[in-house]
Amino acid sequence: MSATATILDAYCIRAATGTDASVNEAVGALAGKIPLSSIGTSLQDFVASVPQAVAAIDAARGDPDNLYITTSTEGDLDNAVWPGNGSTGTVGSGQTQPLGMTVPVDFVQNVSLWDYDDVSSDDLLGSIRIEESERGQGPIAKLATSAVEGSVYYVTYRVD
């Protein structure tokens, strides 16, 4: 008999950054396109301040993630196993999103967390692997992260 994983919740340690990597790269490239007389500081100070400015803008916005979950590594709201019906859950840094969903586990099951974007492609927030061999071990928390998006989540589940 195959195992079933009950995914209890997702705790967001850090929501995805509100700026895409391509935006960060574009902002970083501004130093080559701005006359030095217009920046009011040295080139070195300007270039050093760009990553700090992007981080400050992102922190000030504090945008939550529009979370949905798939059991594949492909992001598509139509394939979401949670919450379903083309909707998402909103979760920000320091918040827990109760899930209460079950998925079959035959050997190994992928669970991917996604941030829905209506303007660009959806962002992978991180994935975990649930293993059938974890059956009966009680609640387990695994880290799901994305270096590209800067997101950090713990997903808690049990395998029965």
Side-chain angles (χ1 to χ4, degrees), residues 37-105:
S37 61
S38 70
I39 61 175
T41 186
S42 73
L43 177 61
Q44 291 85 356
D45 290 342
F46 175 76
V47 171
S49 70
V50 170
Q52 296 167 355
V54 171
I57 291 166
D58 191 52
R61 287 177 47 188
D63 294 338
D65 291 332
N66 296 313
L67 180 68
Y68 70 92
I69 297 174
T70 68
T71 54
S72 70
T73 55
E74 305 265 335
D76 188 342
L77 193 55
D78 291 335
N79 295 332
V81 294
W82 183 93
N85 299 323
S87 61
T88 63
T90 303
V91 62
S93 298
Q95 295 180 330
T96 298
Q97 177 64 64
L99 301 172
M101 57 175 281
T102 60
V103 294
V105 180

Side-chain angles (χ1 to χ4, degrees), residues 2-3 104-110 129-134 159:
S2 10
V105 180
D106 292 318
F107 300 107
V108 174
Q109 177 63 61
N110 174 78
R129 289 172 37 113
I130 299 174
E131 298 181 25
E132 189 174 9
S133 63
E134 297 170 323
V159 180

Side-chain angles (χ1 to χ4, degrees), residues 16-47:
T17 61
T19 53
D20 291 335
S22 61
V23 173
N24 293 343
E25 290 170 9
V27 170
L30 290 177
K33 298 177 184 175
I34 298 174
L36 294 179
S37 61
S38 70
I39 61 175
T41 186
S42 73
L43 177 61
Q44 291 85 356
D45 290 342
F46 175 76
V47 171

Side-chain angles (χ1 to χ4, degrees), residues 126-146:
S127 297
I128 64 165
R129 289 172 37 113
I130 299 174
E131 298 181 25
E132 189 174 9
S133 63
E134 297 170 323
R135 182 185 273 172
Q137 294 181 15
I140 297 169
K142 284 191 181 170
L143 196 59
T145 66
S146 169

